[in-house]
Amino acid sequence: MARIRSVTGQRVAALDSGWELTATAPGAVSAPPDLPQGGAWIPAPVPGTAAQALRNAGQWTLAAPQPLHDRDFWYRTRFSADGAHTLRLHGLATLAEVWLNGEQLLRSDNMFHAHDVAVRLRGDNELCLSFRALHPALAKKKGRARWRPRLIEPGTLRFARTTLLGHMAGWCPPVHAVGPWRPVELLTADSPLNVARADLRTGVDGTTGVLGVTLGVDGPGAARQPASFVMVGDVRVPLAWRDANTLHAEARLDDVALWWPHTHGTPALHAVRASVGDVAIDLGQVGFRTIAVDHGPDGQGFALVVNGVPVFCRGACWSSADLVSLPGTREAYRPWLQRMRDAGMNMVRIGGTMVYESDDFFRLCDELGLLVWQDFMFANLDYPANDPAFADSVAREADQLLDRTQASPSLAVLCGGSEVAQQAAMLGLPRAAWSGKLFDEILPAAARAARPDVPYVANSPTGGPLPFAANSNVSHYYGVGAYLRPLEDARRAEVRFTSECLAFANVPEAATVAQVLDAGEAPPTHPKWKARVPRDAGAPWDFEDVRDHYLRLLYDVDPLALRYGNPDRYLRLSRAVTGEVMEAVFAEWRRGRSCCAGGLVWMLQDLWPGAGWGVIDALGAPKAAWHALRRAFRPVQVNLTDEGVNGLAVHVLNETAAAVSATLSIACLRDGAVPVLKAERRLDLAPRSAQEIAAASLADSFLDITYAYRFGPPSHDVTVAALIDDQGVRLAEAFHFPQGRGSARFELGLSATLEARGDGGWDLRLRAQRCAQSVHVEDEQFRADDEWFHLAPGIERVVRLVARQASSGAVPDGDVQALNGLSPVRIRRSS
């Protein structure tokens, strides 16, 4: 029921205690009376999964996950209640049966369905849930697919409505989703009036916010048709009875505060409450915003326009807050989504290989100002959409998702699924087979009915002469990345919008590396390390090989020799390089003249500790790439791009709604310290504006800033651009290395001074006499909230240190490193 948070007279009790679990052979137990009564039962969390319960009991580990789809799992609990109630099951994975007091109430074969079942209780009650073995059931499925992808095993998963997590070798660990993964609740109605459904539709008319509210009610109390109203913020309007069971109202809010992605404004939300007679209804919060897609003058673009303003969407693809338990709580989501916001990301994509996240996920995105690209849970496979039962199940799945997220302003794009059209096209099927009823009829019909305010995309990627062409509509861009293209390809490919990009085996910090390997084991060469490096099934290479390619390209080193000869140095450079690539690519895409309107990195978080795709590791620690993206995604930004013989271009952006007055400074430094050119210009940055300035126009005489003409030896090795506000704050910086970053090391004159803050925390003051590359902190008790940045000479940088464990009472006692420094610098306490 869309956004019905609570209703007076309706009590909701979570059935979340006293659960226990046992496993049996497939089909060995047909009903609860046949269940073993001995010691085979273990405590089980609900909501939760069988893997979670087994892990808690010491019978299963993520390090060596056992398959779970080859057994039946039974859950049971007892509870006390009498009379008429509603049993609500928010999600059962996947072939499930529900038994109450020995009577079978329900069968479900869709992990993504919620169920309401009217029940009559008898005092002491036993609730049993059985989850039948999935693989034996799929082995019985018949029907030949038009294609068979390598990514997903078994291919018969096309018949099942379950997550593909755990079924993609080389992509994620084989953790199978089994059990009551979403809450089980008991609803009791004490009121003669029942609010059965709610429909909320938001719109914007000029400066006025418009909310349409329709409530469906039943029960004897509805016959009286009591006086009713709805409140949106401070605006109160009457609810009119359309018929005996339906009320409707339209509320209009003048000069309404609009909802914006946080990079472009304030994500304003408005509380909605209703009253039907004596029954009070909390309908949560809504946001007023418009979203449209601008396809550009050639019809091939894909740019989101929010409230009439083009928004460059940047962010990452979501995996899971925890692959084992698949949690859906605010507490589980908050750290990850807050990390996204802190990094300047404004969009998260839930891809078709994942799961639908809970209402709390969308509420947090509403509050944090994060746009949500939501795939329906379809990917790569040839789904049997012409089977009426399958089609009906999918339609119900889509309707339930859209109903519970109906008023969420963060929901920005609905997408049929991931790489289905691409898979069919790449495997040589004719163009007519690239889509079908599922993506062209069933899912868009559900989207139009419930969320006409949200653009629908048939598939990701889509558009162009081939559905994966980078220069048309939505792409999955891996030119820079898996396809080993030079950095210039980010511009050459003319990417319009990429909902996946820049996948690398991103190396985590040392503390997480220690979680993967035993003491004394060398990460880059150990089999345990390589086992967790992601790869595409069937490919003779993995994403560490991809990273090594760019390590050679950017730092002019032999990765293989470095890996064996100096593994510590190899890991440091490997941490830095993927972030450097990401920063360079987004500098290209955010240029004012770029045709790109968005890029989502694959992906946000690792599924288990190791060098995974995530820019945040599985333990929640940001990697070097996360810090790089935070720099790349600043709303007020300066970027540098090498235009060859046309010199160095300076790109200045202001995405905010306020004008910014600042000074642009540029310095070309020889030996990373001696200025051979210094210039500055006063700028007034209009709201929502971008400027491109030729660096040469800032100087009074010629200097080969990009070393394109090569008249003699290069004059400098680094160019630093900075945007400085009227208070002297450096809003943004950018660095260009005309001779490459290189691997040489120098005496930098780097200092790191520790200072106590008034709140009991610690700050680190950093200065260098020579440009220091990829400065980072290593301390067992603390991590820096900002690191892996380049530090210009003579510029003081204050970094906040964050304790790894709260209230530890420890004092920072570590080192500061720079990739081009001769040796680490010890942190010293200020006198």
Side-chain angles (χ1 to χ4, degrees):
M1 294 184 291
R3 290 292 175 143
I4 297 181
R5 301 287 298 274
S6 66
V7 178
T8 302
Q10 183 183 84
R11 290 178 284 119
V12 180
L15 297 180
D16 57 2
S17 62
W19 287 94
E20 52 185 3
L21 165 74
T22 193
T24 63
V29 176
S30 59
D34 302 326
L35 285 167
Q37 301 301 314
W41 294 85
I42 61 173
V46 173
T49 66
Q52 183 183 7
L54 292 168
R55 181 178 63 179
N56 293 349
Q59 300 177 21
W60 186 96
T61 68
L62 180 60
Q66 299 171 350
L68 301 179
H69 284 323
D70 57 354
R71 288 171 277 173
D72 290 351
F73 287 91
W74 286 83
Y75 284 72
R76 71 183 181 190
T77 192
R78 303 195 75 87
F79 64 96
S80 297
D82 278 303
H85 299 265
T86 298
L87 180 65
R88 176 167 292 170
L89 305 116
H90 287 266
L92 304 169
T94 290
L95 303 179
E97 299 167 2
V98 180
W99 301 76
L100 179 65
N101 299 327
E103 177 187 355
Q104 185 173 326
L105 300 181
L106 173 72
R107 286 188 179 214
S108 175
D109 62 359
N110 190 321
M111 173 181 178
F112 308 121
H113 282 175
H115 308 273
D116 279 5
V117 185
V119 297
R120 183 159 291 278
L121 304 177
R122 64 185 191 191
D124 182 38
N125 305 277
E126 183 183 62
L127 179 62
C128 293
L129 309 175
S130 69
F131 298 90
R132 302 299 185 178
L134 182 61
H135 283 169
L138 292 179
K140 300 175 184 178
K141 293 290 186 180
K142 304 298 180 184
R144 186 169 183 174
R146 292 173 294 173
W147 68 84
R148 182 179 178 179
R150 289 183 173 185
L151 175 65
I152 299 163
E153 288 293 341
T156 47
L157 278 167
R158 71 193 189 95
F159 295 107
R161 294 309 301 136
T162 193
T163 180
L164 299 179
L165 288 169
H167 296 277
M168 294 168 283
W171 194 95
C172 70
V175 179
H176 295 157
V178 179
W181 70 296
R182 287 291 182 253
V184 179
E185 298 169 340
L186 195 64
L187 280 66
T188 307
D190 296 330
S191 170
L193 188 144
N194 175 49
V195 181
R197 60 192 180 278
D199 187 284
L200 279 68
R201 307 290 175 109
T202 60
V204 179
D205 181 7
T207 61
T208 300
V210 183
L211 175 66
V213 179
T214 303
L215 300 179
V217 298
D218 54 36
R224 297 185 293 106
Q225 295 193 352
S228 308
F229 64 87
V230 64
M231 289 193 68
V232 188
D234 296 327
V235 175
R236 172 172 164 159
V237 295
L239 279 161
W241 288 87
R242 282 183 167 175
D243 56 43
N245 300 104
T246 309
L247 299 102
H248 178 76
E250 182 177 278
R252 298 180 68 85
L253 285 73
D254 294 333
D255 298 319
V256 69
L258 297 178
W259 185 94
W260 289 91
H262 76 95
T263 50
H264 287 67
T266 301
L269 295 170
H270 308 264
V272 183
R273 295 164 290 158
S275 179
V276 181
D278 295 331
V279 176
I281 308 144
D282 181 355
L283 292 168
Q285 294 180 303
V286 299
F288 295 96
R289 58 98 181 100
T290 62
I291 291 186
V293 176
D294 180 2
H295 291 290
D298 62 356
Q300 300 300 305
F302 188 92
L304 286 189
V305 180
V306 181
N307 301 326
V309 174
V311 170
F312 184 89
C313 298
R314 65 279 201 163
C317 298
W318 176 265
S319 56
S320 175
D322 176 36
L323 181 62
V324 176
S325 63
L326 299 177
T329 64
R330 185 181 183 90
E331 294 73 24
Y333 294 134
R334 179 81 197 204
W336 302 104
L337 295 177
Q338 186 65 53
R339 287 275 191 220
M340 293 196 76
R341 193 183 196 280
D342 291 346
M345 300 181 185
N346 61 17
M347 175 173 273
V348 56
R349 174 178 170 227
I350 305 174
T353 51
M354 309 301 173
V355 299
Y356 299 114
E357 299 298 348
S358 75
D359 296 356
D360 277 347
F361 183 94
F362 288 90
R363 289 173 189 143
L364 274 168
C365 289
D366 293 345
E367 295 168 18
L368 295 172
L370 296 173
L371 299 163
V372 179
W373 175 301
Q374 175 70 68
D375 283 9
F376 291 98
M377 292 300 115
F378 300 94
N380 295 79
L381 298 167
D382 181 20
Y383 293 95
N386 291 321
D387 175 9
F390 185 90
D392 288 347
S393 180
V394 167
R396 179 182 172 190
E397 170 188 321
D399 288 344
Q400 287 189 350
L401 169 71
L402 297 172
D403 178 70
R404 64 183 176 83
T405 61
Q406 191 188 51
S408 174
S410 60
L411 186 58
V413 177
L414 288 165
C415 179
S418 175
E419 296 189 349
V420 177
Q422 171 179 298
Q423 193 78 88
M426 281 190 165
L427 292 176
L429 273 75
R431 191 176 300 271
W434 296 354
S435 194
K437 179 180 178 181
L438 178 59
F439 305 112
D440 297 341
E441 299 177 27
I442 298 172
L443 296 175
R448 284 193 302 271
R451 291 303 302 259
D453 61 314
V454 176
Y456 174 81
V457 176
N459 233 253
S460 178
T462 190
L466 292 168
F468 45 85
N471 63 353
S472 180
N473 216 291
V474 177
S475 66
H476 290 182
Y477 174 73
Y478 292 113
V480 175
Y483 306 147
L484 308 183
R485 306 294 297 171
L487 297 186
E488 292 80 5
D489 191 71
R491 182 183 299 192
R492 186 184 305 130
E494 297 182 332
V495 174
R496 301 304 185 93
F497 189 106
T498 174
S499 54
E500 288 183 21
C501 63
L502 299 173
F504 299 95
N506 293 304
V507 178
E509 62 174 19
T512 303
V513 172
Q515 294 280 328
V516 183
L517 302 174
D518 299 326
E521 294 175 335
T525 56
H526 198 280
K528 288 183 185 177
W529 178 265
K530 290 299 285 184
R532 298 193 180 187
V533 172
R535 65 170 58 240
D536 285 339
W541 49 269
D542 62 27
F543 281 82
E544 193 153 68
D545 298 326
V546 173
R547 188 187 70 227
D548 282 352
H549 171 81
Y550 291 96
L551 189 58
R552 184 191 300 273
L553 185 68
L554 267 65
Y555 291 98
D556 193 26
V557 295
D558 180 347
L560 185 62
L562 192 61
R563 185 189 305 173
Y564 286 94
N566 190 344
D568 179 75
R569 176 73 173 165
Y570 171 80
L571 286 178
R572 291 182 195 282
L573 288 171
S574 295
R575 290 186 181 101
V577 68
T578 58
E580 291 285 293
V581 170
M582 292 178 187
E583 216 172 337
V585 168
F586 276 103
E588 285 287 354
W589 288 345
R590 292 187 69 193
R591 292 178 302 118
R593 289 186 290 139
S594 170
C595 61
C596 182
L600 308 180
V601 171
W602 186 262
M603 53 195 324
L604 179 66
Q605 68 269 69
D606 287 343
L607 291 164
W608 57 351
W613 282 316
V615 297
I616 306 173
D617 72 29
L619 306 182
K623 301 182 186 180
W626 180 89
H627 291 283
L629 290 175
R630 183 163 71 164
R631 294 189 294 272
F633 292 163
R634 289 175 290 219
V636 178
Q637 176 70 317
V638 61
N639 287 320
L640 299 173
T641 59
D642 190 331
E643 305 296 324
V645 295
N646 293 323
L648 192 68
V650 184
H651 306 275
V652 183
L653 299 93
N654 175 23
E655 292 179 328
T656 72
V660 174
S661 295
T663 298
L664 172 66
S665 74
I666 189 167
C668 298
L669 307 176
R670 184 176 65 247
D671 299 329
V674 180
V676 297
L677 181 150
K678 292 184 73 174
E680 61 182 36
R681 177 180 294 179
R682 182 73 179 169
L683 297 177
D684 290 315
L685 309 179
R688 324 286 195 205
S689 68
Q691 297 183 34
E692 181 176 336
I693 302 167
S697 70
L698 302 174
D700 291 331
S701 59
F702 169 72
L703 182 72
D704 190 2
I705 295 179
T706 57
Y707 196 48
Y709 296 94
R710 300 180 182 272
F711 297 151
S715 61
H716 62 289
D717 49 71
V718 60
T719 298
V720 184
L723 200 60
I724 305 165
D725 72 9
D726 293 340
Q727 287 72 46
V729 176
R730 294 171 83 86
L731 302 175
E733 287 181 318
F735 293 76
H736 176 253
F737 301 93
Q739 303 171 61
R741 289 158 181 80
S743 58
R745 287 184 272 184
F746 310 93
E747 177 55 55
L748 303 176
L750 181 63
S751 64
T753 305
L754 186 66
E755 294 183 350
R757 292 198 310 271
D759 61 2
W762 299 93
D763 285 337
L764 193 61
R765 292 187 176 273
L766 301 170
R767 290 182 70 92
Q769 296 172 359
R770 179 174 183 148
C771 182
Q773 295 181 31
S774 299
V775 176
H776 54 284
V777 176
E778 290 195 350
D779 189 294
E780 292 184 358
Q781 301 295 326
F782 290 83
R783 68 166 57 99
D785 74 340
D786 186 17
E787 56 183 341
W788 295 97
F789 52 79
H790 305 318
L791 181 61
I795 301 299
E796 184 172 79
R797 187 77 166 261
V798 180
V799 174
R800 177 174 293 228
L801 298 180
V802 181
R804 296 182 185 274
Q805 294 183 350
S807 304
S808 66
V811 176
D813 183 27
D815 297 326
V816 175
Q817 303 257 6
L819 287 187
N820 63 333
L822 285 175
S823 59
V825 174
R826 194 73 181 164
I827 295 174
R828 62 181 179 85
R829 190 100 174 246
S830 61
S831 56

